[in-house]
Amino acid sequence: MKNLIDRLERGEPLSRPDFISLLGGYRDPELAGCLAAKALAVRERHFGRDVFLRGLIEFTNHCRHDCFYCGLRRGNRHVERYRLTLPEIAARCDLGHSLGFRTFVLQGGEDPFFTADRLAEIVAALRGRFPDCALTLSVGEQPRETYQRLFDAGADRFLLRHETADADHYARLHPPAQTLAERFRCLYDLKEIGFQVGAGFMVGSPHQTAGHLAQDLLFLRELQPHMVGVGPFIPHPETPLAGFPPGDPDLTLFILGLIRLMLPKVLLPATTALGTLVPEARERALSFGANVLMPNLSPLDVREKYEIYTGKIHQGEEAAEGLARLQTRLAALGFRTPRSRGDYPG
Ligand code: 5AD
């Protein structure tokens, strides 16, 4: 198995059976240690000791979709829905900018109120106000023309996890109106338009097999995204998948390491879901090659309402207000948090 890790590090393409057998070894401490050491070295080669910070603004929790895993699904009547206005969003960016953030991530459900016009207006306003910042959008599946308008208005990056690269598995996580083909269409459109694109998936989502995870890794190799978001599944009580167990944090870390080796320059967050499940796991993610953290910059009174999964953390070092403490701790671990956009290295 070490041999497979060596081959991945050398940039050789692994097959689906290769990935399945590698994934089977995630509980072996020696193998995991070997992977972490290599992932760390690769991260260091391309990024030194830099960890990039992104200010996350959750600007709407309305959603037209009904994903079986997500607490913000349309069918969940127990959510108090909210939307932020442009002045409210801009005020959070002002605060974030003064704290040192140079990337803002605007994330929301697929909210029909935010038409292409309204989204483009927000992007253009923030682009004008923060010329030294990167703007990342995470607003789901949109027509190609909308993506193009948002890019032309000044958005730089787009996050859209593929969730699973297997069509049958996708169909067990989403209603029939949502298809993997459409998700892929969006990701390839975004890339062609010129966005820095983030894909990704949940580890331990219901009905997931090692074969599915291997497929996810093969898909990432094909797509060559600039960013990859991977976190454990965490059940939400008001969803059809409430009864399934959470994903395994150790498997999540192992997969982060594999992704770092396979896509050496990728921007790889230590996700909030991982930190929610195991508090120390976000730091451990940095030792498996992660190099991005996304503290919560949403207004305090809406954070509880953006509950994608149970117990989502949004305070302390997970929050923009806790930034100084986070930076101190990262410095103690030997990491730098530069005040830069932290773009994909060219
Ligand atoms: N557990 C973990 N992650 C989840 N997401 C949605 N619901 C859950 C859940 N229950 C992730 C999805 C989505 C991202 C915004 O959050 O991967 O793309």
Side-chain angles (χ1 to χ4, degrees), residues 20-260:
I20 292 175
S21 81
L22 247 186
L23 288 164
Y26 83 92
R27 283 202 187 87
D28 172 355
E30 204 187 313
L31 190 71
C34 161
L35 174 61
K38 285 183 189 294
L40 210 58
V42 170
R43 206 265 318 271
E44 194 130 340
R45 191 178 317 144
H46 295 288
F47 298 97
R49 300 297 292 179
D50 287 353
V51 171
F52 300 112
L53 301 173
R54 322 298 199 195
L56 176 66
I57 301 172
E58 297 154 333
F59 70 98
T60 172
N61 70 351
H62 290 260
C63 193
R64 68 189 172 99
H65 281 313
D66 222 11
C67 307
F68 299 152
Y69 46 84
C70 183
L72 300 184
R73 65 200 306 268
R74 190 184 60 215
N76 183 3
R77 306 265 166 247
H78 301 275
V79 188
E80 193 186 324
R81 306 282 173 173
Y82 73 89
R83 296 184 175 106
L84 301 186
T85 62
L86 173 53
E88 287 170 331
I89 296 170
R92 296 312 290 180
C93 294
D94 285 338
L95 170 66
H97 195 269
S98 68
L99 290 169
F101 289 104
R102 293 298 178 269
T103 292
F104 301 116
V105 181
L106 300 190
Q107 183 163 88
E110 289 188 33
D111 180 352
F113 173 84
F114 286 104
T115 57
D117 279 347
R118 288 190 170 119
L119 289 172
E121 185 196 348
I122 292 170
V123 170
L126 298 179
R127 173 45 63 230
R129 194 171 172 124
F130 303 102
D132 58 340
C133 294
L135 297 176
T136 305
L137 296 176
S138 180
V139 295
E141 297 181 355
Q142 306 280 348
R144 181 174 179 130
E145 305 76 64
T146 302
Y147 289 148
Q148 185 70 56
R149 280 192 62 192
L150 297 174
F151 186 75
D152 294 342
D156 306 276
R157 309 185 188 137
F158 202 103
L159 305 176
L160 181 67
R161 290 186 179 181
H162 63 280
E163 312 298 356
T164 171
D166 179 278
D168 293 329
H169 188 217
Y170 197 91
R172 301 188 80 168
L173 300 177
H174 303 92
Q178 287 169 259
T179 65
L180 181 60
E182 177 63 4
R183 191 55 66 109
F184 283 173
R185 190 276 303 162
C186 291
L187 284 164
Y188 284 105
D189 277 352
L190 288 162
K191 235 188 139 194
E192 273 175 32
I193 288 168
F195 281 99
Q196 293 174 45
V197 174
F201 54 93
M202 292 175 285
V203 173
S205 59
H207 314 295
Q208 185 181 65
T209 64
H212 294 145
L213 288 170
Q215 203 60 39
D216 288 321
L217 294 168
L218 292 171
F219 170 66
L220 291 180
R221 188 173 71 210
E222 183 195 297
L223 178 69
Q224 293 284 318
H226 308 85
M227 303 164 281
V228 176
V230 172
F233 165 74
I234 302 176
H236 187 293
E238 302 295 340
T239 63
L241 300 175
F244 285 83
D248 184 328
D250 290 323
L251 179 56
T252 307
L253 291 169
F254 195 85
I255 288 171
L256 290 177
L258 296 179
I259 293 171
R260 170 58 64 206

